[in-house]
Amino acid sequence: MASFKKIARRSFLVGSAAILGGVAFGTYKYHQPAPNPLEPAAGKAVLNPFVFVDQSGVTLIAPRAEMGQGVRTSWAALIAEELDVDPGKVTVLHGPAAKAYYNSAMMGEVLPGRGYNNSSFQHSLGQVVGHTAKFFDLQVTGGSSSMKDGFERMRRAGASARETLKEAAAQKLGVSRALLETKDGQVLAPDGVTLSYAELAADAAKIDAQEVELRPASQWKYIGKTVPRVDMVAKVTGTAGFGVDTRVEGMKFAAIKQSPYFGAGKRSFDASAAQDMPGVEAILDLGDAVAVVGSNTWLAQQAVDAIEVDWEAPSYPETTDAIFAEIAQAFDGSPNSTMRDDGDVEAALPEGAEVIEAEYQLPYLAHATMEPMNATALYTGDALQIWAPNQGPTVVQQAAADLTGLSKDTIQVHTTYLGGGFGRRIEVDYTNRAVQIAQQMKGTPVQLTWSREEDMSHDYFRPGAIARYRAAVKDGQAVMVHGKIAAQSTTREAAGRMLGLPMSGPDKGHVDAAFNQPLAIPSFRVEGYLAKPMIPVGFWRSVAASFNGFFSDSIIDEMAHKAGRDPLEFRLELARAEWEPAAKVLETVREMSGWSGTTPDGIGRGVAMVYSFGTPVAQVIEVADQDGQIRITKAWIAADLGLAVDPQNIEAQMFGGLAYGLSAACFGEITFDGGAVEQENFPDYDAMRMPSMPQVEVAVLQNQKHMGGAGEPGTPPAAPALANAIFDLTGQRARRLPLMHDFDLLI
Amino acid sequence: MSKTLRINGKTHQVDLPDDVPLLWVLRDELGMTGTKFGCGVAACGACTVQVDGEAMRSCQLSLGDVEGDVTTIEGLGTPDNLAAIQTAWVEHQVAQCGYCQSGQIMQAASLLAENPAPSDADIDEAMQGNLCRCGTYPRIRAAIHSAAKMMQEA
């Protein structure tokens, strides 16, 4: 296995492999490669920051958080596609925090434009803008961006590594490189001589990396096919190392109590009941929190529960109603954005047009990853090590540097497997807490695990949101849609806290999946309104699309019914006139589900189509009346990824995204009283379980020109498809979630 | 108090207060990290182990109350020697983040020991206490059916 011991930090920088592993075009400053973070001992070759070869074989570095989406497998497959190694036979590691591992695709999302109708030129421009992410050291996993980010870079890394190894073999054998072939981790010479990559490693390290054309799609062995997950065996045997599984010699365990009020400090605390409890080794004052370090997590938790703290009062509206009243006030100001304004929504409506006015409201939501927030840290005064299940190693590193005053090159971040991410683990609050504790326990490694109650009540929540729509239909046709959306701004608040970047101007993320839906409506305006910061908000699987998908598809469903049209045919007509791939996903779920426009008594069906993160996804959901209760029985999903790198894995992301969306739609809400979160644990924040999960069929299409994301787009259509199905069954329209308040769900 | 535990066929001696849940004895005292902490209130099933073959939530089982032989995910099979149920999990590529899967597998193994050919309704009933936020349920269901078949043919 590769180790990351130091050699001269910049010794490998000049090789073109490093350039290929980083960025491959143009002459701008940011095209210079970032320092190669893999620093091998003598006799080992680091061919570029993504491939590592030594005597034991090939190690591929997939520096993206493996949180269940299969990125380790798919990035390894992209490298293997060019390198000619079996992805099942190589070691795949996450690697250290490093600039070279910046995410080139995510910043591209900030470009204006609807996405689906961007030209290839705009997509290239997206890539260029993406490289500015390097300036921010953004090694992050999010935005359903890993395949878009890695598709070119990983294959180039593999190709360059292959040709460099061949060049080393050519020099050794005294033959032309052109005569050599590669297979299963070996270079093959025409005379039958074979040299393994491992035995060529030392020589390859001495020569400049080679640059070659990438293989055409016709030669692909892994891309487009299902590759067994490299993490599967570990995950079914309990041997995959998650954050909480970190074990370091001499390690202690800690528990924490943070203020129930966001941003509020503490006045005083009384730990007298805790100090003599079994297993307690230290009681720590963290300023705005208290912690107990002990011999095991549970004993530490009992002790921290026994500490009485007098917290400062909250400085924001204290109840759910007051918070939503504040969100609604945003409508009184001027819009932050008008990202779509087709036709004229204010023009007089034609005679006979029927108008719908609807207000929708969605709650704040917690991520509730299965693995609670945790991190392990060891502080030695002049250096710091952090082990954490995180989505942004360089963000963790920067935050720890800010907190401790250490320079970044003395801070090592080890990224473990993530027991769920969903956007929660791009934050650094939980790593900072571990660092704070470690600073007071100099020389002792300490693992901090939050209780589930601490995790649920101290999230960066999906913002609560309100939408006001006015729409019109006439003669069975859509005439006008005017949507206004108000919520706290996830993008602005996160950018401020993570990058220290005050953002201004129109917030595109806030209206994503509302303004950019591929539907041709003659007059179509979407305005975003930003509510003031109150509750900490963050990136929740599909971000604003998680609420906008519900708003924008629900109003379309209401219009279809008002117009007396079949809801699927109504959408299909609007999609076909705007963007063919969106129409195709609707046609596909129509065929899969045998959609006929009618359902027997006791059965309801709903359809939804939402475009987000570059991927149009249509879902049909079927519900059944079971002795007066509603059961979700079936779901059909069609998604167009453009190019599907691993169809079986995409299928898993699609039904997983559906489950995440249905969980929120049925049960998910975070409410506030006295400034504190009212939900504590899974009994009051439940999710889909085996009996409530519908049967699912997934179709993965490849009609569109550009590569779409997979991790998030399955989530936004779930809530509207379910609400539309329940309307079909009951005649009652759901304009607020979760559905459990208004419907009797069988769970 | 000092207590002797039989875990995966081996004897372990621990000296801890008897109200410490078995979960934390396994994880923090014995270094057996395959069993996971999810909620601490028996609401998610991530900590499921078997005691004399019966699936139990180890976060609610106090050390003092442990009677019988404990089996954890580590005792079911290893990466080099998978149990049939683990082979079925690999075959169906069930895990996503994987955090809940130790508990899912221990619960399912207990179901199959009791009911070698469970129906979908039996699976719903047995598995409802095991939460998976990634939503892997369709593949868990398929893997349980496969494992049942595999075990019957064996």
Side-chain angles (χ1 to χ4, degrees), chain A residues 229 244-245 297 651 688-689, chain B residues 27-28 36 43 93 137:
Chain A
R229 292 268 300 247
V244 290
D245 301 332
T297 306
E651 176 194 278
M688 301 304 283
R689 291 168 180 268
Chain B
R27 291 188 54 81
D28 291 2
K36 304 301 185 207
Q93 295 282 295
Y137 305 113

Side-chain angles (χ1 to χ4, degrees), chain A residues 67-68 229 232 235-236 242 244-245 247 253 296-298 367-368 452 648 651-652 655-656 660 681 688-689, chain B residues 19 21 24 27-29 33-34 36 38-39 41 43 82 86 93 95-97 99 128 133-135 137 139:
Chain A
M67 47 192 164
R229 292 268 300 247
M232 193 57 67
K235 286 178 174 177
V236 304
F242 294 91
V244 290
D245 301 332
R247 292 292 177 269
F253 300 90
N296 88 39
T297 306
W298 189 82
H367 295 80
R452 173 59 62 190
Q648 193 181 2
E651 176 194 278
F655 68 67
Y660 204 70
N681 203 319
M688 301 304 283
R689 291 168 180 268
Chain B
D19 59 348
W24 299 105
R27 291 188 54 81
D28 291 2
E29 305 289 338
T33 54
K36 304 301 185 207
C39 68
V41 297
L82 297 176
Q86 292 166 316
Q93 295 282 295
Q96 291 186 26
C97 92
Y99 192 80
Q128 65 180 336
R133 291 286 284 159
C134 300
Y137 305 113
R139 290 190 184 174

Side-chain angles (χ1 to χ4, degrees), chain A residues 716-740:
Chain A
L722 175 58
N724 297 339
I726 288 177
F727 177 76
D728 186 45
L729 180 71
T730 66
Q732 192 183 336
R733 174 64 61 186
R735 286 180 174 169
R736 65 171 186 166
L737 300 179
L739 296 163
M740 65 176 181

Side-chain angles (χ1 to χ4, degrees), chain A residues 356 358-362 465-469 550-551 554-556 558 733-736:
Chain A
I356 304 163
E359 179 166 309
Y360 305 99
Q361 182 172 318
L362 299 191
I466 303 172
R468 291 177 180 165
Y469 271 82
F550 180 77
F551 299 149
S554 291
I555 191 68
I556 295 293
E558 296 206 34
R733 174 64 61 186
R735 286 180 174 169
R736 65 171 186 166

Side-chain angles (χ1 to χ4, degrees), chain A residues 336-337 485-491 507-512 514 527-531 544-545 547-548:
Chain A
N336 160 266
S337 71
I485 295 151
Q488 288 181 240
S489 168
T490 301
T491 319
D507 180 351
K508 180 188 165 194
H510 181 74
V511 288
D512 189 33
E527 292 163 324
Y529 293 81
L530 305 186
F547 49 81
N548 290 329

Side-chain angles (χ1 to χ4, degrees), chain A residues 277-401:
Chain A
M277 288 175 69
V280 174
E281 301 191 8
I283 291 168
L284 308 180
D285 182 349
L286 304 183
D288 59 349
V290 290
V292 171
V293 178
S295 57
N296 88 39
T297 306
W298 189 82
L299 291 171
Q301 185 67 47
Q302 303 311 299
V304 91
D305 287 346
I307 299 176
E308 288 183 26
V309 187
D310 182 14
W311 302 108
E312 286 173 359
S315 56
Y316 47 87
E318 294 187 14
T319 64
T320 307
D321 286 350
I323 289 163
F324 276 89
E326 190 65 50
I327 295 170
Q329 269 195 16
F331 288 123
D332 299 340
S334 52
N336 160 266
S337 71
T338 307
M339 300 287 293
R340 188 164 193 154
D341 198 5
D342 297 347
D344 182 0
V345 296
E346 290 175 13
L349 292 170
E351 180 106 5
E354 292 183 276
V355 173
I356 304 163
E357 288 187 349
E359 179 166 309
Y360 305 99
Q361 182 172 318
L362 299 191
Y364 287 80
L365 293 170
H367 295 80
T369 58
M370 287 303 298
E371 180 187 19
M373 293 302 108
N374 69 89
T376 304
L378 169 60
Y379 176 78
T380 52
D382 55 0
L384 176 66
Q385 289 197 76
I386 302 167
W387 294 260
N390 73 90
Q391 291 178 243
T394 56
V395 188
V396 169
Q397 191 182 44
Q398 181 65 55

